[in-house]
Amino acid sequence: MKKEWRKKLALVLAVAMGISLLSGCGGGETQGGNTGSDIGTVQEATDAAEQTESEAPEKSEARDGSTVYVQVHQDSGTFNPWGSNQDPFMSIRLNFYETLFEYNASGEVVPLLVESYEWEDGTTLNLKLHDGIMTHDGNKIVASDVLFSFQKASESAEYGRHASNVDFEKSHVVDDLNLVLATKVEDAFFYNDMTRISIVSEKSFNDCKDEMVNLAIGSGPYKMTAYTPGYEWVLEKFEDYWNTDQTETQQQNVDKIVYRVITEEAQRTIELETGGIDMLTYTPSIDVEYLQGKDGIEVYQYPGNNTQTIYYNCSGESVMDNENLRHAISCAVDSAGIAAAVHKNLYSPADCIATPNTPQYQAGTLKYSYDMEKAKEYMEAAGYPDGGLDLTIMCDANTQPSAEVIQASVLQLGINLEILVYDAATYNTLITDPAACDMLISGYACVGTVLFFFNNQLNENKSLRTFWKNEEFQTLLAETVKTGDAEDTMKLLDMVNDADVVRPIVFGNSYFAYRTEVIEGISPKNDNWVLPGDYTYHYDADALYD
């Protein structure tokens, strides 16, 4: 007899801060943004799709019913706990790695591995861990593992900024469950830092010959059981998961999750239609409208707060330390054109440094917006009236179409722009190298305030993706990070706008497409940066399929 079941599988997409989409936080991909360039159309491939569907085996025959198949747009490159702060790693990490604190659905920081905590003063935090936190290879997470993980994060190019405020000399272990985590200065964003750094067992890490590059070993609700580079990774329910109370995000109600790498956009949609994939985390922009009209498929739009952004290399390694040259290129960037041509107007042209979800957002205040005549004037002021410049821009495959539009635009100024396209692992290595390129495309998101972006990516004590050194800015930032003063935050915004060290291109929205026979709905968390893929699962069926 056919089993009756309610299709009750809700995916709660964990939202992280950064983006650096991903990411958080910023990365090569716009964090949380998942519309991309047009690589063919599904409409044109309808016949092929129907053929594929007719030849595909029934789901009940093809795979285990308790398995969910989820698409990701590229390989993670590494599963080292502190090796990547970019998507797709950040999109899935809470399945297998866990942190001291996490964000709940209201965007509030709440304890995860921490049972209780107390600030002794503004720079001294007493923490008590839950007892019995076990890793996937059978080791117990203890207080010394926390300090080990923070120390390793401090040595990482990607995570160093999140551990830069930790005073390791004053931080110490009290016993297996208790420790003191000290900071150098008061910092309103330290809670966010603690949501970013994965905690692993020192023994598990040292016993792993490749430092967990190819196999994540954490304490999360799912353990990694297989990884085929460039194709897929498999997570299975961890039977000895410590968190029996099932926190809001750390659910494990599906036996197996298969993340499948599908880089070609048309193929992603075909796989969703034919049942090879249950959910697209990167829905091709050209297919959003098409999928909205398909029976059995839902498309969820999450209004994003992320940006796709040009970061100028303001170090002495590049001619982009010439402020007028930055202004020229910024004025040559046609945000509306990119939003239309690349993102089919599913993204909005960026018109402010602050994102629309922040109180600092003021429409139309981007100082160096699209104006080719002004761009030419700035080229002359920069000392290049006839152009004759050879520059480089770094990106990943997903932001390459935007780079190509910019390449064509600046050619009108006599600038030959070479596009350097890298995979996620290589991009992550080069993003903090001032000799790698003249500019790069990445992204940032703001959690309630643009100060979040300034603190994470323009703070010389954390990360300087632009390599912009400005003593006045850094001094004011250091004070404002402690106080959160609104007036000072606006002063910082004006300084960034004037210096033109970043040029936001578009504000992104996220689109998630899923099969309604498997998934009932999506409920994004409200901490303002959707990273596609960091799921928890809820269902009350005996099986997903007969």
Side-chain angles (χ1 to χ4, degrees):
M1 181 177 180
K2 183 176 180 179
K3 295 180 180 179
E4 294 293 324
W5 60 288
R6 291 179 293 162
K7 298 172 184 175
K8 178 77 176 174
L9 175 60
L11 291 163
V12 178
L13 293 138
V15 181
M17 316 252 243
I19 153 15
S20 74
L21 124 111
L22 314 195
S23 13
C25 123
E29 163 60 22
T30 301
Q31 304 302 326
N34 56 11
T35 59
S37 60
D38 309 324
I39 308 177
T41 68
V42 169
Q43 290 89 335
E44 294 171 351
T46 300
D47 292 339
E50 291 175 350
Q51 270 191 338
T52 304
E53 186 171 18
S54 65
E55 295 168 0
E58 292 294 325
K59 281 194 175 186
S60 58
E61 299 173 0
R63 66 190 197 187
D64 182 358
S66 59
T67 300
V68 174
Y69 287 74
V70 180
Q71 169 268 331
V72 292
H73 72 290
Q74 64 180 3
D75 200 319
S76 178
T78 179
F79 293 99
N80 178 285
W82 319 283
S84 173
N85 200 15
Q86 316 296 332
D87 195 44
F89 174 80
M90 291 300 293
S91 303
I92 63 170
R93 68 177 182 125
L94 283 180
N95 286 310
F96 40 78
Y97 291 133
E98 295 187 302
T99 53
L100 294 177
F101 292 82
E102 65 176 342
Y103 283 92
N104 67 14
S106 300
E108 302 168 321
V109 176
V110 294
L112 178 52
L113 295 178
V114 170
E115 180 181 288
S116 61
Y117 64 99
E118 181 182 9
W119 284 97
E120 186 174 318
D121 54 44
T123 60
T124 306
L125 179 60
N126 297 317
L127 297 167
K128 181 180 180 181
L129 302 179
H130 284 284
D131 195 7
I133 302 172
M134 303 302 296
T135 65
H136 304 147
D137 60 345
N139 292 313
K140 185 177 180 180
I141 295 288
V142 294
S144 61
D145 295 320
V146 175
L147 290 186
F148 167 78
S149 298
F150 270 76
Q151 183 65 59
K152 295 297 290 186
S154 72
E155 299 166 3
S156 163
E158 282 291 285
Y159 285 84
R161 66 182 183 273
H162 294 298
S164 62
N165 193 29
V166 176
D167 189 331
F168 288 102
E169 291 185 2
K170 294 182 180 179
S171 299
H172 61 275
V173 170
V174 177
D175 55 39
D176 276 358
L177 296 181
N178 293 277
L179 72 150
V180 174
L181 198 57
T183 62
K184 298 171 185 175
V185 297
E186 293 184 45
D187 185 354
F189 294 107
F190 189 60
Y191 280 112
N192 175 66
D193 291 332
M194 290 188 287
T195 70
R196 304 303 258 175
I197 296 176
S198 299
I199 306 301
V200 302
S201 161
E202 181 175 5
K203 184 178 188 306
S204 297
F205 186 82
N206 290 334
D207 286 349
C208 186
K209 294 181 180 179
D210 71 348
E211 299 186 335
M212 301 184 185
V213 168
N214 292 300
L215 181 67
I217 305 173
S219 61
Y222 290 89
K223 62 180 179 180
M224 183 177 290
T225 58
Y227 171 47
T228 304
Y231 179 63
E232 71 177 19
W233 49 91
V234 180
L235 309 182
E236 296 185 16
K237 183 190 295 185
F238 180 39
E239 297 298 337
D240 295 323
Y241 183 51
W242 67 275
N243 193 356
T244 55
D245 291 335
Q246 294 288 286
T247 65
E248 183 178 328
T249 62
Q250 300 304 87
Q251 302 286 332
Q252 53 168 195
N253 295 322
V254 169
D255 290 338
K256 184 186 293 185
I257 311 167
V258 178
Y259 288 97
R260 184 154 292 166
V261 179
I262 306 177
T263 58
E264 184 176 307
E265 294 189 346
Q267 188 62 32
R268 296 176 196 171
T269 304
I270 291 172
E271 287 291 324
L272 180 70
E273 286 191 275
T274 58
I277 293 294
D278 298 315
M279 181 172 183
L280 299 184
T281 63
Y282 276 70
T283 305
S285 59
I286 196 170
D287 292 329
V288 169
E289 184 177 358
Y290 169 74
L291 289 172
Q292 287 172 335
K294 296 290 291 184
D295 291 338
I297 293 176
E298 290 287 339
V299 179
Y300 182 90
Q301 175 183 332
Y302 184 85
N305 70 325
N306 53 77
T307 68
Q308 189 178 90
T309 305
I310 299 173
Y311 291 70
Y312 294 118
N313 182 349
C314 301
S315 74
E317 297 283 345
S318 170
V319 294
M320 296 312 301
D321 63 352
N322 183 324
E323 190 168 307
N324 281 310
L325 184 55
R326 298 198 296 270
H327 299 340
I329 293 176
S330 288
C331 288
V333 174
D334 183 3
S335 291
I338 292 174
V342 176
H343 302 290
K344 305 305 175 188
N345 289 319
L346 298 174
Y347 279 13
S348 304
D351 58 356
C352 182
I353 297 292
T355 53
N357 67 305
T358 64
Q360 297 85 21
Y361 173 74
Q362 295 177 323
T365 57
L366 188 64
K367 189 168 184 178
Y368 302 100
S369 55
Y370 181 57
D371 187 325
M372 287 302 295
E373 291 305 313
K374 284 187 177 180
K376 294 173 183 177
E377 292 174 8
Y378 283 121
M379 284 293 289
E380 185 170 357
Y384 303 98
D386 301 317
L389 278 174
D390 294 318
L391 302 176
T392 57
I393 187 168
M394 187 170 74
C395 63
D396 67 6
N398 212 54
T399 55
Q400 183 179 354
S402 294
E404 290 171 350
V405 175
I406 296 168
Q407 180 187 52
S409 187
V410 299
L411 186 60
Q412 299 176 56
L413 303 177
I415 297 174
N416 294 310
L417 187 62
E418 180 185 1
I419 300 174
L420 308 175
V421 184
Y422 295 108
D423 58 67
T426 305
Y427 184 96
N428 294 338
T429 301
L430 295 175
I431 199 169
T432 54
D433 181 359
C437 61
D438 296 301
M439 63 193 87
L440 60 87
I441 298 180
S442 184
Y444 62 84
C446 305
V447 182
T449 172
V450 73
L451 186 62
F452 182 85
F453 160 52
F454 297 158
N455 185 51
N456 274 332
Q457 296 192 20
L458 299 181
N459 188 336
E460 65 182 2
N461 294 318
K462 290 195 172 186
S463 176
L464 279 176
R465 293 189 179 180
T466 64
F467 313 104
W468 177 50
K469 300 293 183 70
N470 183 295
E471 185 176 349
E472 181 184 1
F473 177 86
Q474 295 298 332
T475 300
L476 183 58
L477 177 62
E479 183 60 32
T480 310
V481 164
K482 297 178 187 178
T483 65
D485 184 82
E487 185 176 340
D488 286 341
T489 299
M490 289 303 298
K491 289 180 182 178
L492 291 168
L493 188 150
D494 290 339
M495 293 170 70
V496 173
N497 204 9
D498 290 341
D500 197 21
V501 294
V502 293
R503 170 53 160 94
I505 305 169
V506 289
F507 296 133
N509 295 314
S510 299
Y511 294 86
F512 305 93
Y514 56 90
R515 296 175 64 86
T516 55
E517 68 176 309
V518 180
I519 299 168
E520 182 181 75
I522 300 174
S523 178
K525 292 173 65 183
N526 188 33
D527 49 0
N528 302 318
W529 187 18
V530 174
L531 285 170
D534 205 357
Y535 309 122
T536 58
Y537 300 85
H538 311 260
Y539 77 109
D540 55 6
D542 291 331
L544 294 177
Y545 306 104
D546 297 351

